[in-house]
Amino acid sequence: MADAGATDGPVRPTPGAAVAHMPLSRQDVHLADGLLQQWQQRNRAASLPLALRQLEAAGNLDNLRLASSGANTGYRGPAFMDSDVYKTLEAISWELGRTGDSELADFAAEATALVAKAQQDDGYLNSCVQVTGRPRYARLESSHELYCAGHLIQAGVAAARSFNGGTLLGVARRFADHLVSTFLGTQGGLDGHPIIETALMELYRQTGTPAYLELASQFVDARGHGLIGDSGFGSRYLQDAVPVRELTALAGHAVRALYLESGVVDVAVETGDTHLMASSIARWEDMVATKTALTGSNGSRHSGEAFGDAFELPPDRSYNETCAAIASFHWSWRLLLATGDAKYADLMERVLYNGFGAALSADGQRFFYVNPLQRRADHFENDDPGRRREWFSCACCPPNIMRLIASLDHYIATLGGDVLYLHQLTGAQISAPVAGDMLSVDVTTRYPWDGSIEFHVRSAPGSECGLAVRIPAWCSGISASYNGQPVSAESDEHGYLILRRRWRPGDVLTCSLDLTPRLTHASRRVDALRGAVALERGPLVYCFEQADQQAGSVEDLAISSGALAERMISLPGVGPTVALEADALQLPPASDDGLPYLPQPDTSTGGRPATAVAIPYFQWDNRDGRAMRIWMPLSRSDSPATS
Amino acid sequence: MADAGATDGPVRPTPGAAVAHMPLSRQDVHLADGLLQQWQQRNRAASLPLALRQLEAAGNLDNLRLASSGANTGYRGPAFMDSDVYKTLEAISWELGRTGDSELADFAAEATALVAKAQQDDGYLNSCVQVTGRPRYARLESSHELYCAGHLIQAGVAAARSFNGGTLLGVARRFADHLVSTFLGTQGGLDGHPIIETALMELYRQTGTPAYLELASQFVDARGHGLIGDSGFGSRYLQDAVPVRELTALAGHAVRALYLESGVVDVAVETGDTHLMASSIARWEDMVATKTALTGSNGSRHSGEAFGDAFELPPDRSYNETCAAIASFHWSWRLLLATGDAKYADLMERVLYNGFGAALSADGQRFFYVNPLQRRADHFENDDPGRRREWFSCACCPPNIMRLIASLDHYIATLGGDVLYLHQLTGAQISAPVAGDMLSVDVTTRYPWDGSIEFHVRSAPGSECGLAVRIPAWCSGISASYNGQPVSAESDEHGYLILRRRWRPGDVLTCSLDLTPRLTHASRRVDALRGAVALERGPLVYCFEQADQQAGSVEDLAISSGALAERMISLPGVGPTVALEADALQLPPASDDGLPYLPQPDTSTGGRPATAVAIPYFQWDNRDGRAMRIWMPLSRSDSPATS
């Protein structure tokens, strides 16, 4: 297979891959006015320019300059500083695929030239190793050499798919060829931090070179046999305790575990390995059932940035690293393509609007690395009060956020057989090749704020084909109409409402999802959430910030009824949003006399009626740094009547 | 003041100190048959011999040998390896003060000679610095040089007070004199890990040298001004963010914060500094009300081994380092002496029988570093399944356990005015100098298993004096009699039942505490414990281990009534114990289909009646490595009727 043209987004299975759906070409999906498009605009206008400044200030670019000049001193930052440059280049590539921002294009050209200059003659490239003089591949458990290579390769693929960026792809291929010649057929090359697996698979898809598939497959199967050196956290941390095919639950460092799964699925679909695929699906099912926060986030432990035990899901102390949300999104997308099951798009939606969405400030210039579901008053983690920050000494998250947002349009829709599937319900113009012709629709919606979604057919093939819209699992009420006539709104076994028609230009399919706010309870197995409820509306998880509570401390509120009201408010620094109001009791402050343990239940006596006000979680921490909580106690320990 | 004789235990306020109570001389308290005496016997027979082997195997003794021979290579282990030797020597000192174990005495003599030989001419002593050649005091935020000095001084004081071990005290004094000449009057000498403060105070008390008091006082007041270098965890971690006198709540590394408080109280009582004392008391009150587990343990976070925010008390993830329990015990003892308030002895009791008691296996040969209140099935923390271990690469806890157990007899009773106070209710022979004579009593009890406590007066002064027994705060029913006649069992404002009499030999005072098992609930502010109950009996917190549940998984049990029954059982490897039985429901396993979040409360449907069996928490993990939990859900979310 020759190099693909500059038409693809991230994750492009080969024509022979064992997938149920194929992504659409990048020219065929354009986001229209709406939240996700606003995020992309903010990404270009605010976040990416910030990244360019920070990469200069933190030394990432200087490190590459040092490497390209052959310097042997002056390296700054952790070993994986190069990867932040590569992630930024990937973000810019997806961005330039849509827009022609000259500042970004100039940076991409300069940084690409710098990267190419820093690459060594045999294809090796790592500014930390080159400048510090450490031996290559000597401590792969912690050196991140193949991790950086993976991000370089992903950036090279993105450049090639977005603006024919052959230079960066060439650098990536030379490094990949070096890796093949160094590690293929050996037991070496297992990096402590996966991502090389999926990067090599994408490079294989881009170039058709079988050796990249072979090396990725080798890395996947070699993992779990204790071949990686000791990083100090043990073998589970590195996903090196159990072979991938035998592993039933994710453990260890969350981002590493989740990145590996994308590589696992890529290998499985390209090799038709159903056993490998089944193992990844089983781990996804386990993760969702036992290790996922209401916000869709993963990784319950600060210690080791790791997955916790099953049902260990504390709202206050869950780490929920932003990069883990991104990694989960990437994994679910691959499983969605492989299976066509809406549950994967459901989780992507939950991650997107909640665990991931909250990682960025409203102005796009501050970032969360850790995403808890609760922040107490006077919170501190070491010397950190738990607010978003402009950058980090370990800055993996910000450019990772940017590359996902820049590519969000690629994750909206797919083609499955002769059906155009809309997975993420957002305004867009979408076209897909069906029956030798194009099915083109305009999607109009204010989702996630409003549940109405309209499809206007612009052009259609002459034969019958399908339009499908995901029915979110949280949605209990839906209606649909075709050209004004009600049609069945039943979803199929995969979770989609599918309408098959001989479509004509001007046809209108309308779906209306019930966004009535709802109370959500936790499984009794989630010890940390017993006796508490959360508020959700559509795909949005809500939270109670201190700034919105008029009656007193958010720590002393308790929900007293299931009746929820909506109110449009304007959040300073954010803009208009849909707030929710719940009947509550404002309780007197807790006793500070003696241990917080009592011979009788701590009933909600002495409380006065109050209104608890909630805003979408993804919009929190845009005002002060005070308390926030998603899960709120019930004022009576039994459940309130739900409305 | 001349050197005190070999008559004192740990913490001996000077005659002029601002204290309400004075400890008794070590000859005047002897534990009689009972749990605490069994712990001391196990300590001598099993734990201390293990420590001697481990100090040899891990390299602690070799490090000192290297230092004493002037070697400059070969140092093993973390920087504070010397402190494990000193803690062991302290434990042995308290042990030799009671017994004449020749193996321990031989080790003490050899190790003391080794330590003396390793000491440098100017008094400095630190095998890590000496062998590695690192500069002295250059990185006090992490070098632990004064931390090791503190434990050396404490060992020297213990040796002097127990068997006239003048050699070790001499080493300690020479090092202390070196510290005085180096740091007194400077801004230096603040160690990242406190303990030097209380060690210098004890050395002052032992020797009467004012410079030790002055240096300890200087260290206390210099802390909190950001003078310590960056350890990577920030200034709160090191108790260096807020001056001690202004600090209202403990934060940062729990053991460090708690060790510092012992020094703070020691300085306050010896200087009559009521402001400093009040600040420490306020922090103790805050810690108890907002940051203490039901087991008495402290330190909610694995990350940084640190205190959490107020009411951040997760049962599963609380770190609860064993050394923090010991440090809390030491701090509360000092506050008890200063104030005479039973609440401090109450916390000491809770720590002793629960958070501290559980740190050691029934055979005395395995140790917990981390003491959670819940371990889920299939638990892992990195590669560690969460069971006790024989030793640790950072082995601070095991010898710390040993030094506390070896000195437990010193923490039982005090003299306040002309009243002999019994704080810890255990079998003992106790004498106290009252009115120029001795009041001597035999205390007979099976506490904590039984609530009956008998005082048999052996000798008494001719004048009236008092006998006092602490009435634990958990106790709701007590009766007392004097020579068979009922007397008032009211406690005074300090929490003690005091009987004043002109006592005669043969007099018998009997107290009977109601140990009826009880349900305990958490304050509503403890989010992690909502809707759950714990079982307690007397001072013992109970836990549900999987091994005792016949009906199914301990994760699927829920308490269904407040009726609790007692049953004597024999725990394999432990012996007879008092188990508790509660009516429960055995619920069907949790769904693994989709997210663990539901549109309605997860009610306990489908459960079948079962009996939940609990054992004392301090006896857990002596069988298999399966699940354990102290806090158990209620099957109905409102409270069961309490019996």
Side-chain angles (χ1 to χ4, degrees), chain A residues 81-129:
Chain A
M81 291 283 276
D82 291 355
S83 66
D84 299 336
V85 177
Y86 302 145
K87 281 189 268 194
T88 304
L89 281 172
E90 183 187 338
I92 291 174
S93 294
W94 301 129
E95 186 59 41
L96 292 178
R98 279 195 318 282
T99 65
D101 188 288
S102 63
E103 184 195 10
L104 296 181
D106 289 350
F107 175 87
E110 287 169 28
T112 299
L114 179 59
V115 167
K117 192 170 168 213
Q119 186 169 38
Q120 298 190 312
D121 290 343
D122 64 355
Y124 183 86
L125 173 51
N126 185 286
S127 75
C128 183
V129 166

Side-chain angles (χ1 to χ4, degrees), chain A residues 589-602:
Chain A
S591 163
D592 59 357
D593 181 21
L595 290 164
Y597 309 108
L598 316 163
Q600 67 288 322
D602 189 7

